[in-house]
Amino acid sequence: MAVKKILRIGDPFLLKTATPVDPRDIRSREIQQIIQNMQETMNAANGAGLAAPQIGIGRRIVIFGFEHNPRYPDREPIAETILINPEIIPLDGEIAEDWEGCLSVPKMRGLVPRPVRIRYRGYDQMARTLQRDVDGFHARVVQHECDHLDGILYPQRIRDMRQFGYEEELFAGRGTQAAG
Ligand code: NI
């Protein structure tokens, strides 16, 4: 087991741009070990997703997905996915706001605008090409994780900073529904 420390907002490493993985290296021991450490770290923290820079690795690798997630109890499941060198293409112009959290911004939530429908593609852990068209929370999680590869944390995307704060305060008395 190698549960890694998750860097938190304020750590300058989270602001760096990560470098692509050579597809010929995806099946290497080094990259497979990074992926395994990311999975163990995400699972230990009940994350919906995790990007390599969050554990101090500046490579373009994200993981996401869950069957049931206690941090997002009302969200539909997302297939557990490893995505390397991801690209995202919005499928139309529709933007929606919804609540996000981040393991690097503990206990907080913010209302973030994002494209609703996207196509994403990249490589999986076996170096096969992976492409999906998705919407809703799935699309949001992927965009959030890929932002980490470009040094972007979700608070930078919040339009109205009044819609940012501690989860306990924002949703006090409103149950978990609003927290997403
Ligand atoms: Ni995050």
mmCIF file of all heavy atoms in Angstrom, residues 45-95:
data_model
loop_
_atom_site.group_PDB
_atom_site.id
_atom_site.type_symbol
_atom_site.label_atom_id
_atom_site.label_comp_id
_atom_site.label_asym_id
_atom_site.label_seq_id
_atom_site.Cartn_x
_atom_site.Cartn_y
_atom_site.Cartn_z
ATOM 1 N N ALA A 45 -9.153 8.431 0.612
ATOM 2 C CA ALA A 45 -9.728 9.752 0.885
ATOM 3 C C ALA A 45 -11.175 9.863 0.404
ATOM 4 O O ALA A 45 -11.763 10.947 0.483
ATOM 5 C CB ALA A 45 -8.885 10.830 0.204
ATOM 6 N N ASN A 46 -11.739 8.764 -0.106
ATOM 7 C CA ASN A 46 -13.100 8.782 -0.670
ATOM 8 C C ASN A 46 -13.256 9.812 -1.786
ATOM 9 O O ASN A 46 -14.297 10.451 -1.911
ATOM 10 C CB ASN A 46 -14.146 9.055 0.418
ATOM 11 C CG ASN A 46 -14.311 7.875 1.348
ATOM 12 O OD1 ASN A 46 -14.316 6.734 0.907
ATOM 13 N ND2 ASN A 46 -14.429 8.159 2.631
ATOM 14 N N GLY A 47 -12.235 9.973 -2.591
ATOM 15 C CA GLY A 47 -12.313 10.937 -3.686
ATOM 16 C C GLY A 47 -13.147 10.409 -4.840
ATOM 17 O O GLY A 47 -13.251 9.206 -5.054
ATOM 18 N N ALA A 48 -13.736 11.341 -5.602
ATOM 19 C CA ALA A 48 -14.413 10.995 -6.856
ATOM 20 C C ALA A 48 -13.408 10.960 -7.998
ATOM 21 O O ALA A 48 -13.658 10.372 -9.046
ATOM 22 C CB ALA A 48 -15.507 12.007 -7.161
ATOM 23 N N GLY A 49 -12.267 11.589 -7.762
ATOM 24 C CA GLY A 49 -11.219 11.623 -8.766
ATOM 25 C C GLY A 49 -9.941 12.133 -8.137
ATOM 26 O O GLY A 49 -9.948 12.659 -7.018
ATOM 27 N N LEU A 50 -8.849 11.941 -8.874
ATOM 28 C CA LEU A 50 -7.559 12.428 -8.383
ATOM 29 C C LEU A 50 -6.657 12.643 -9.595
ATOM 30 O O LEU A 50 -6.686 11.856 -10.539
ATOM 31 C CB LEU A 50 -6.918 11.403 -7.434
ATOM 32 C CG LEU A 50 -5.674 11.879 -6.684
ATOM 33 C CD1 LEU A 50 -6.039 12.817 -5.532
ATOM 34 C CD2 LEU A 50 -4.875 10.690 -6.141
ATOM 35 N N ALA A 51 -5.873 13.692 -9.553
ATOM 36 C CA ALA A 51 -4.900 13.969 -10.611
ATOM 37 C C ALA A 51 -3.497 13.796 -10.033
ATOM 38 O O ALA A 51 -3.258 14.089 -8.853
ATOM 39 C CB ALA A 51 -5.090 15.390 -11.127
ATOM 40 N N ALA A 52 -2.571 13.332 -10.871
ATOM 41 C CA ALA A 52 -1.219 13.031 -10.386
ATOM 42 C C ALA A 52 -0.566 14.212 -9.649
ATOM 43 O O ALA A 52 0.097 13.995 -8.625
ATOM 44 C CB ALA A 52 -0.348 12.565 -11.552
ATOM 45 N N PRO A 53 -0.730 15.457 -10.121
ATOM 46 C CA PRO A 53 -0.093 16.561 -9.382
ATOM 47 C C PRO A 53 -0.546 16.674 -7.924
ATOM 48 O O PRO A 53 0.202 17.200 -7.092
ATOM 49 C CB PRO A 53 -0.512 17.803 -10.190
ATOM 50 C CG PRO A 53 -0.723 17.288 -11.577
ATOM 51 C CD PRO A 53 -1.323 15.925 -11.383
ATOM 52 N N GLN A 54 -1.733 16.158 -7.626
ATOM 53 C CA GLN A 54 -2.201 16.244 -6.234
ATOM 54 C C GLN A 54 -1.366 15.400 -5.282
ATOM 55 O O GLN A 54 -1.413 15.625 -4.069
ATOM 56 C CB GLN A 54 -3.677 15.833 -6.130
ATOM 57 C CG GLN A 54 -4.621 16.829 -6.797
ATOM 58 C CD GLN A 54 -6.055 16.378 -6.652
ATOM 59 O OE1 GLN A 54 -6.540 15.571 -7.439
ATOM 60 N NE2 GLN A 54 -6.727 16.863 -5.615
ATOM 61 N N ILE A 55 -0.633 14.410 -5.822
ATOM 62 C CA ILE A 55 0.295 13.664 -4.957
ATOM 63 C C ILE A 55 1.744 14.008 -5.324
ATOM 64 O O ILE A 55 2.661 13.232 -5.039
ATOM 65 C CB ILE A 55 0.045 12.136 -4.979
ATOM 66 C CG1 ILE A 55 0.156 11.542 -6.394
ATOM 67 C CG2 ILE A 55 -1.316 11.812 -4.368
ATOM 68 C CD1 ILE A 55 0.252 10.004 -6.397
ATOM 69 N N GLY A 56 1.925 15.151 -5.956
ATOM 70 C CA GLY A 56 3.275 15.633 -6.203
ATOM 71 C C GLY A 56 3.946 15.059 -7.428
ATOM 72 O O GLY A 56 5.166 15.153 -7.565
ATOM 73 N N ILE A 57 3.152 14.477 -8.343
ATOM 74 C CA ILE A 57 3.687 13.894 -9.582
ATOM 75 C C ILE A 57 3.239 14.762 -10.755
ATOM 76 O O ILE A 57 2.040 14.853 -11.040
ATOM 77 C CB ILE A 57 3.167 12.453 -9.793
ATOM 78 C CG1 ILE A 57 3.471 11.561 -8.588
ATOM 79 C CG2 ILE A 57 3.698 11.866 -11.097
ATOM 80 C CD1 ILE A 57 4.902 11.148 -8.440
ATOM 81 N N GLY A 58 4.185 15.376 -11.436
ATOM 82 C CA GLY A 58 3.847 16.314 -12.508
ATOM 83 C C GLY A 58 3.671 15.657 -13.859
ATOM 84 O O GLY A 58 4.288 16.056 -14.846
ATOM 85 N N ARG A 59 2.820 14.622 -13.926
ATOM 86 C CA ARG A 59 2.533 13.921 -15.176
ATOM 87 C C ARG A 59 1.052 14.022 -15.482
ATOM 88 O O ARG A 59 0.223 14.153 -14.579
ATOM 89 C CB ARG A 59 2.934 12.431 -15.071
ATOM 90 C CG ARG A 59 4.333 12.198 -14.561
ATOM 91 C CD ARG A 59 5.405 12.896 -15.385
ATOM 92 N NE ARG A 59 5.455 12.441 -16.765
ATOM 93 C CZ ARG A 59 6.146 11.371 -17.170
ATOM 94 N NH1 ARG A 59 6.845 10.644 -16.309
ATOM 95 N NH2 ARG A 59 6.157 11.037 -18.441
ATOM 96 N N ARG A 60 0.708 13.904 -16.791
ATOM 97 C CA ARG A 60 -0.690 14.101 -17.201
ATOM 98 C C ARG A 60 -1.470 12.790 -17.053
ATOM 99 O O ARG A 60 -1.783 12.103 -18.028
ATOM 100 C CB ARG A 60 -0.761 14.680 -18.617
ATOM 101 C CG ARG A 60 -0.031 16.020 -18.705
ATOM 102 C CD ARG A 60 -0.215 16.731 -20.020
ATOM 103 N NE ARG A 60 -1.493 17.406 -20.115
ATOM 104 C CZ ARG A 60 -1.764 18.600 -19.597
ATOM 105 N NH1 ARG A 60 -0.844 19.270 -18.898
ATOM 106 N NH2 ARG A 60 -2.957 19.139 -19.756
ATOM 107 N N ILE A 61 -1.773 12.471 -15.818
ATOM 108 C CA ILE A 61 -2.528 11.255 -15.463
ATOM 109 C C ILE A 61 -3.636 11.658 -14.502
ATOM 110 O O ILE A 61 -3.379 12.331 -13.495
ATOM 111 C CB ILE A 61 -1.638 10.213 -14.758
ATOM 112 C CG1 ILE A 61 -0.402 9.878 -15.598
ATOM 113 C CG2 ILE A 61 -2.446 8.949 -14.443
ATOM 114 C CD1 ILE A 61 0.634 9.025 -14.862
ATOM 115 N N VAL A 62 -4.878 11.266 -14.823
ATOM 116 C CA VAL A 62 -5.991 11.454 -13.891
ATOM 117 C C VAL A 62 -6.709 10.117 -13.717
ATOM 118 O O VAL A 62 -6.686 9.259 -14.609
ATOM 119 C CB VAL A 62 -7.004 12.531 -14.363
ATOM 120 C CG1 VAL A 62 -6.317 13.883 -14.536
ATOM 121 C CG2 VAL A 62 -7.719 12.125 -15.648
ATOM 122 N N ILE A 63 -7.327 9.962 -12.554
ATOM 123 C CA ILE A 63 -8.204 8.820 -12.337
ATOM 124 C C ILE A 63 -9.508 9.352 -11.763
ATOM 125 O O ILE A 63 -9.531 10.411 -11.130
ATOM 126 C CB ILE A 63 -7.580 7.764 -11.396
ATOM 127 C CG1 ILE A 63 -7.376 8.322 -9.992
ATOM 128 C CG2 ILE A 63 -6.249 7.256 -11.958
ATOM 129 C CD1 ILE A 63 -6.932 7.273 -8.977
ATOM 130 N N PHE A 64 -10.595 8.648 -12.014
ATOM 131 C CA PHE A 64 -11.882 9.076 -11.466
ATOM 132 C C PHE A 64 -12.839 7.893 -11.523
ATOM 133 O O PHE A 64 -12.594 6.908 -12.224
ATOM 134 C CB PHE A 64 -12.461 10.281 -12.227
ATOM 135 C CG PHE A 64 -12.494 10.106 -13.714
ATOM 136 C CD1 PHE A 64 -13.583 9.492 -14.328
ATOM 137 C CD2 PHE A 64 -11.429 10.523 -14.498
ATOM 138 C CE1 PHE A 64 -13.606 9.313 -15.701
ATOM 139 C CE2 PHE A 64 -11.445 10.342 -15.880
ATOM 140 C CZ PHE A 64 -12.537 9.731 -16.472
ATOM 141 N N GLY A 65 -13.958 8.057 -10.815
ATOM 142 C CA GLY A 65 -15.003 7.039 -10.865
ATOM 143 C C GLY A 65 -15.274 6.439 -9.507
ATOM 144 O O GLY A 65 -14.407 6.419 -8.625
ATOM 145 N N PHE A 66 -16.506 5.967 -9.366
ATOM 146 C CA PHE A 66 -16.937 5.334 -8.113
ATOM 147 C C PHE A 66 -18.274 4.656 -8.347
ATOM 148 O O PHE A 66 -19.028 5.031 -9.237
ATOM 149 C CB PHE A 66 -17.088 6.386 -7.000
ATOM 150 C CG PHE A 66 -18.006 7.520 -7.379
ATOM 151 C CD1 PHE A 66 -19.373 7.416 -7.178
ATOM 152 C CD2 PHE A 66 -17.506 8.669 -7.969
ATOM 153 C CE1 PHE A 66 -20.224 8.447 -7.548
ATOM 154 C CE2 PHE A 66 -18.350 9.697 -8.347
ATOM 155 C CZ PHE A 66 -19.707 9.597 -8.138
ATOM 156 N N GLU A 67 -18.529 3.668 -7.504
ATOM 157 C CA GLU A 67 -19.847 3.032 -7.496
ATOM 158 C C GLU A 67 -20.776 3.807 -6.563
ATOM 159 O O GLU A 67 -21.877 4.190 -6.927
ATOM 160 C CB GLU A 67 -19.690 1.573 -7.027
ATOM 161 C CG GLU A 67 -20.951 0.751 -7.090
ATOM 162 C CD GLU A 67 -21.477 0.607 -8.506
ATOM 163 O OE1 GLU A 67 -20.662 0.494 -9.453
ATOM 164 O OE2 GLU A 67 -22.703 0.611 -8.663
ATOM 165 N N HIS A 68 -20.259 4.045 -5.350
ATOM 166 C CA HIS A 68 -20.990 4.889 -4.397
ATOM 167 C C HIS A 68 -19.952 5.715 -3.662
ATOM 168 O O HIS A 68 -18.939 5.180 -3.222
ATOM 169 C CB HIS A 68 -21.788 4.051 -3.395
ATOM 170 C CG HIS A 68 -22.423 4.894 -2.334
ATOM 171 N ND1 HIS A 68 -23.560 5.643 -2.557
ATOM 172 C CD2 HIS A 68 -22.048 5.157 -1.060
ATOM 173 C CE1 HIS A 68 -23.863 6.310 -1.456
ATOM 174 N NE2 HIS A 68 -22.965 6.038 -0.527
ATOM 175 N N ASN A 69 -20.182 7.015 -3.550
ATOM 176 C CA ASN A 69 -19.178 7.870 -2.924
ATOM 177 C C ASN A 69 -19.777 8.643 -1.769
ATOM 178 O O ASN A 69 -20.702 9.434 -1.957
ATOM 179 C CB ASN A 69 -18.611 8.838 -3.970
ATOM 180 C CG ASN A 69 -17.400 9.589 -3.435
ATOM 181 O OD1 ASN A 69 -17.500 10.308 -2.451
ATOM 182 N ND2 ASN A 69 -16.264 9.388 -4.054
ATOM 183 N N PRO A 70 -19.238 8.435 -0.540
ATOM 184 C CA PRO A 70 -19.817 9.130 0.616
ATOM 185 C C PRO A 70 -19.659 10.649 0.563
ATOM 186 O O PRO A 70 -20.421 11.362 1.218
ATOM 187 C CB PRO A 70 -19.042 8.542 1.814
ATOM 188 C CG PRO A 70 -17.853 7.853 1.242
ATOM 189 C CD PRO A 70 -18.172 7.508 -0.175
ATOM 190 N N ARG A 71 -18.699 11.150 -0.220
ATOM 191 C CA ARG A 71 -18.561 12.607 -0.339
ATOM 192 C C ARG A 71 -19.580 13.185 -1.326
ATOM 193 O O ARG A 71 -19.859 14.380 -1.307
ATOM 194 C CB ARG A 71 -17.140 12.993 -0.781
ATOM 195 C CG ARG A 71 -16.081 12.689 0.284
ATOM 196 C CD ARG A 71 -14.682 13.065 -0.156
ATOM 197 N NE ARG A 71 -14.516 14.492 -0.274
ATOM 198 C CZ ARG A 71 -14.225 15.133 -1.401
ATOM 199 N NH1 ARG A 71 -14.051 14.450 -2.518
ATOM 200 N NH2 ARG A 71 -14.098 16.424 -1.435
ATOM 201 N N TYR A 72 -20.127 12.326 -2.187
ATOM 202 C CA TYR A 72 -21.140 12.747 -3.172
ATOM 203 C C TYR A 72 -22.248 11.704 -3.205
ATOM 204 O O TYR A 72 -22.435 11.010 -4.205
ATOM 205 C CB TYR A 72 -20.489 12.896 -4.563
ATOM 206 C CG TYR A 72 -19.389 13.913 -4.602
ATOM 207 C CD1 TYR A 72 -18.059 13.540 -4.436
ATOM 208 C CD2 TYR A 72 -19.669 15.268 -4.776
ATOM 209 C CE1 TYR A 72 -17.032 14.477 -4.442
ATOM 210 C CE2 TYR A 72 -18.658 16.213 -4.791
ATOM 211 C CZ TYR A 72 -17.345 15.809 -4.624
ATOM 212 O OH TYR A 72 -16.335 16.742 -4.634
ATOM 213 N N PRO A 73 -22.979 11.595 -2.102
ATOM 214 C CA PRO A 73 -23.880 10.437 -1.928
ATOM 215 C C PRO A 73 -25.032 10.380 -2.917
ATOM 216 O O PRO A 73 -25.593 9.311 -3.139
ATOM 217 C CB PRO A 73 -24.389 10.606 -0.488
ATOM 218 C CG PRO A 73 -24.179 12.043 -0.162
ATOM 219 C CD PRO A 73 -22.979 12.484 -0.936
ATOM 220 N N ASP A 74 -25.390 11.502 -3.528
ATOM 221 C CA ASP A 74 -26.570 11.519 -4.396
ATOM 222 C C ASP A 74 -26.213 11.504 -5.876
ATOM 223 O O ASP A 74 -27.079 11.711 -6.727
ATOM 224 C CB ASP A 74 -27.424 12.747 -4.066
ATOM 225 C CG ASP A 74 -27.818 12.750 -2.589
ATOM 226 O OD1 ASP A 74 -28.284 11.693 -2.109
ATOM 227 O OD2 ASP A 74 -27.619 13.769 -1.925
ATOM 228 N N ARG A 75 -24.946 11.282 -6.187
ATOM 229 C CA ARG A 75 -24.533 11.301 -7.591
ATOM 230 C C ARG A 75 -24.566 9.905 -8.194
ATOM 231 O O ARG A 75 -24.275 8.911 -7.522
ATOM 232 C CB ARG A 75 -23.111 11.855 -7.706
ATOM 233 C CG ARG A 75 -22.987 13.275 -7.210
ATOM 234 C CD ARG A 75 -23.871 14.224 -8.006
ATOM 235 N NE ARG A 75 -23.507 15.601 -7.724
ATOM 236 C CZ ARG A 75 -23.939 16.639 -8.430
ATOM 237 N NH1 ARG A 75 -24.781 16.466 -9.431
ATOM 238 N NH2 ARG A 75 -23.556 17.852 -8.118
ATOM 239 N N GLU A 76 -24.872 9.880 -9.489
ATOM 240 C CA GLU A 76 -24.895 8.602 -10.198
ATOM 241 C C GLU A 76 -23.456 8.052 -10.293
ATOM 242 O O GLU A 76 -22.494 8.813 -10.333
ATOM 243 C CB GLU A 76 -25.510 8.779 -11.593
ATOM 244 C CG GLU A 76 -24.673 9.560 -12.591
ATOM 245 C CD GLU A 76 -24.838 11.086 -12.559
ATOM 246 O OE1 GLU A 76 -25.380 11.637 -11.578
ATOM 247 O OE2 GLU A 76 -24.400 11.721 -13.534
ATOM 248 N N PRO A 77 -23.321 6.709 -10.334
ATOM 249 C CA PRO A 77 -21.980 6.122 -10.432
ATOM 250 C C PRO A 77 -21.272 6.537 -11.727
ATOM 251 O O PRO A 77 -21.917 6.853 -12.737
ATOM 252 C CB PRO A 77 -22.246 4.616 -10.452
ATOM 253 C CG PRO A 77 -23.647 4.434 -9.996
ATOM 254 C CD PRO A 77 -24.383 5.699 -10.298
ATOM 255 N N ILE A 78 -19.963 6.540 -11.677
ATOM 256 C CA ILE A 78 -19.128 6.795 -12.852
ATOM 257 C C ILE A 78 -18.165 5.623 -12.971
ATOM 258 O O ILE A 78 -17.572 5.202 -11.969
ATOM 259 C CB ILE A 78 -18.325 8.110 -12.676
ATOM 260 C CG1 ILE A 78 -19.264 9.316 -12.533
ATOM 261 C CG2 ILE A 78 -17.351 8.313 -13.839
ATOM 262 C CD1 ILE A 78 -18.552 10.616 -12.162
ATOM 263 N N ALA A 79 -18.013 5.097 -14.187
ATOM 264 C CA ALA A 79 -17.098 3.968 -14.395
ATOM 265 C C ALA A 79 -15.695 4.353 -13.933
ATOM 266 O O ALA A 79 -15.215 5.452 -14.232
ATOM 267 C CB ALA A 79 -17.068 3.596 -15.868
ATOM 268 N N GLU A 80 -15.055 3.446 -13.209
ATOM 269 C CA GLU A 80 -13.702 3.733 -12.733
ATOM 270 C C GLU A 80 -12.744 3.770 -13.920
ATOM 271 O O GLU A 80 -12.686 2.834 -14.710
ATOM 272 C CB GLU A 80 -13.284 2.691 -11.695
ATOM 273 C CG GLU A 80 -14.084 2.876 -10.419
ATOM 274 C CD GLU A 80 -13.689 1.934 -9.299
ATOM 275 O OE1 GLU A 80 -12.570 1.382 -9.350
ATOM 276 O OE2 GLU A 80 -14.508 1.758 -8.386
ATOM 277 N N THR A 81 -12.059 4.890 -14.057
ATOM 278 C CA THR A 81 -11.305 5.179 -15.273
ATOM 279 C C THR A 81 -9.932 5.745 -14.945
ATOM 280 O O THR A 81 -9.786 6.532 -14.016
ATOM 281 C CB THR A 81 -12.086 6.213 -16.122
ATOM 282 O OG1 THR A 81 -13.386 5.692 -16.416
ATOM 283 C CG2 THR A 81 -11.371 6.528 -17.426
ATOM 284 N N ILE A 82 -8.955 5.311 -15.731
ATOM 285 C CA ILE A 82 -7.618 5.898 -15.701
ATOM 286 C C ILE A 82 -7.421 6.560 -17.053
ATOM 287 O O ILE A 82 -7.657 5.930 -18.091
ATOM 288 C CB ILE A 82 -6.560 4.802 -15.479
ATOM 289 C CG1 ILE A 82 -6.739 4.210 -14.075
ATOM 290 C CG2 ILE A 82 -5.156 5.339 -15.687
ATOM 291 C CD1 ILE A 82 -6.402 2.762 -13.988
ATOM 292 N N LEU A 83 -7.050 7.821 -17.043
ATOM 293 C CA LEU A 83 -6.960 8.579 -18.291
ATOM 294 C C LEU A 83 -5.616 9.307 -18.318
ATOM 295 O O LEU A 83 -5.294 10.071 -17.414
ATOM 296 C CB LEU A 83 -8.132 9.559 -18.351
ATOM 297 C CG LEU A 83 -8.421 10.265 -19.664
ATOM 298 C CD1 LEU A 83 -8.723 9.274 -20.789
ATOM 299 C CD2 LEU A 83 -9.594 11.224 -19.485
ATOM 300 N N ILE A 84 -4.875 9.018 -19.376
ATOM 301 C CA ILE A 84 -3.510 9.545 -19.514
ATOM 302 C C ILE A 84 -3.452 10.460 -20.733
ATOM 303 O O ILE A 84 -4.031 10.155 -21.770
ATOM 304 C CB ILE A 84 -2.520 8.366 -19.646
ATOM 305 C CG1 ILE A 84 -2.598 7.499 -18.375
ATOM 306 C CG2 ILE A 84 -1.091 8.864 -19.890
ATOM 307 C CD1 ILE A 84 -1.951 6.136 -18.505
ATOM 308 N N ASN A 85 -2.778 11.582 -20.589
ATOM 309 C CA ASN A 85 -2.702 12.607 -21.644
ATOM 310 C C ASN A 85 -4.091 12.991 -22.161
ATOM 311 O O ASN A 85 -4.351 12.982 -23.362
ATOM 312 C CB ASN A 85 -1.839 12.133 -22.818
ATOM 313 C CG ASN A 85 -0.410 11.839 -22.426
ATOM 314 O OD1 ASN A 85 0.034 12.177 -21.337
ATOM 315 N ND2 ASN A 85 0.319 11.196 -23.318
ATOM 316 N N PRO A 86 -5.013 13.326 -21.265
ATOM 317 C CA PRO A 86 -6.395 13.575 -21.693
ATOM 318 C C PRO A 86 -6.548 14.838 -22.520
ATOM 319 O O PRO A 86 -5.829 15.817 -22.337
ATOM 320 C CB PRO A 86 -7.146 13.712 -20.364
ATOM 321 C CG PRO A 86 -6.115 14.134 -19.372
ATOM 322 C CD PRO A 86 -4.836 13.469 -19.808
ATOM 323 N N GLU A 87 -7.527 14.771 -23.433
ATOM 324 C CA GLU A 87 -7.991 15.945 -24.184
ATOM 325 C C GLU A 87 -9.486 16.041 -23.955
ATOM 326 O O GLU A 87 -10.165 15.010 -23.912
ATOM 327 C CB GLU A 87 -7.794 15.749 -25.691
ATOM 328 C CG GLU A 87 -6.383 15.758 -26.177
ATOM 329 C CD GLU A 87 -6.381 15.403 -27.672
ATOM 330 O OE1 GLU A 87 -6.995 16.144 -28.467
ATOM 331 O OE2 GLU A 87 -5.819 14.363 -28.002
ATOM 332 N N ILE A 88 -9.980 17.265 -23.876
ATOM 333 C CA ILE A 88 -11.412 17.492 -23.669
ATOM 334 C C ILE A 88 -11.927 18.432 -24.745
ATOM 335 O O ILE A 88 -11.316 19.466 -25.019
ATOM 336 C CB ILE A 88 -11.671 18.102 -22.274
ATOM 337 C CG1 ILE A 88 -11.378 17.065 -21.190
ATOM 338 C CG2 ILE A 88 -13.109 18.604 -22.160
ATOM 339 C CD1 ILE A 88 -11.520 17.591 -19.791
ATOM 340 N N ILE A 89 -13.050 18.049 -25.345
ATOM 341 C CA ILE A 89 -13.697 18.897 -26.351
ATOM 342 C C ILE A 89 -15.144 19.096 -25.926
ATOM 343 O O ILE A 89 -15.902 18.123 -25.835
ATOM 344 C CB ILE A 89 -13.673 18.222 -27.742
ATOM 345 C CG1 ILE A 89 -12.242 17.863 -28.130
ATOM 346 C CG2 ILE A 89 -14.345 19.105 -28.791
ATOM 347 C CD1 ILE A 89 -12.158 16.708 -29.097
ATOM 348 N N PRO A 90 -15.565 20.334 -25.649
ATOM 349 C CA PRO A 90 -16.995 20.572 -25.374
ATOM 350 C C PRO A 90 -17.813 20.225 -26.616
ATOM 351 O O PRO A 90 -17.393 20.510 -27.743
ATOM 352 C CB PRO A 90 -17.058 22.067 -25.062
ATOM 353 C CG PRO A 90 -15.665 22.443 -24.673
ATOM 354 C CD PRO A 90 -14.770 21.553 -25.491
ATOM 355 N N LEU A 91 -18.962 19.569 -26.419
ATOM 356 C CA LEU A 91 -19.755 19.127 -27.574
ATOM 357 C C LEU A 91 -20.755 20.174 -28.038
ATOM 358 O O LEU A 91 -21.291 20.069 -29.141
ATOM 359 C CB LEU A 91 -20.471 17.810 -27.235
ATOM 360 C CG LEU A 91 -19.513 16.614 -27.084
ATOM 361 C CD1 LEU A 91 -20.281 15.367 -26.664
ATOM 362 C CD2 LEU A 91 -18.748 16.346 -28.376
ATOM 363 N N ASP A 92 -21.054 21.150 -27.188
ATOM 364 C CA ASP A 92 -21.912 22.263 -27.612
ATOM 365 C C ASP A 92 -21.606 23.434 -26.686
ATOM 366 O O ASP A 92 -20.666 23.367 -25.893
ATOM 367 C CB ASP A 92 -23.392 21.863 -27.587
ATOM 368 C CG ASP A 92 -23.823 21.315 -26.248
ATOM 369 O OD1 ASP A 92 -23.416 21.881 -25.208
ATOM 370 O OD2 ASP A 92 -24.565 20.313 -26.227
ATOM 371 N N GLY A 93 -22.403 24.472 -26.783
ATOM 372 C CA GLY A 93 -22.073 25.672 -26.016
ATOM 373 C C GLY A 93 -22.697 25.742 -24.634
ATOM 374 O O GLY A 93 -22.510 26.731 -23.923
ATOM 375 N N GLU A 94 -23.426 24.693 -24.246
ATOM 376 C CA GLU A 94 -24.158 24.809 -22.982
ATOM 377 C C GLU A 94 -23.228 24.737 -21.766
ATOM 378 O O GLU A 94 -22.382 23.845 -21.670
ATOM 379 C CB GLU A 94 -25.243 23.730 -22.853
ATOM 380 C CG GLU A 94 -26.165 24.024 -21.678
ATOM 381 C CD GLU A 94 -27.246 22.967 -21.459
ATOM 382 O OE1 GLU A 94 -27.487 22.152 -22.373
ATOM 383 O OE2 GLU A 94 -27.829 22.967 -20.375
ATOM 384 N N ILE A 95 -23.432 25.692 -20.863
ATOM 385 C CA ILE A 95 -22.650 25.769 -19.619
ATOM 386 C C ILE A 95 -23.636 25.636 -18.459
ATOM 387 O O ILE A 95 -24.731 26.186 -18.513
ATOM 388 C CB ILE A 95 -21.948 27.145 -19.506
ATOM 389 C CG1 ILE A 95 -21.089 27.447 -20.729
ATOM 390 C CG2 ILE A 95 -21.142 27.245 -18.203
ATOM 391 C CD1 ILE A 95 -19.801 26.694 -20.831
#
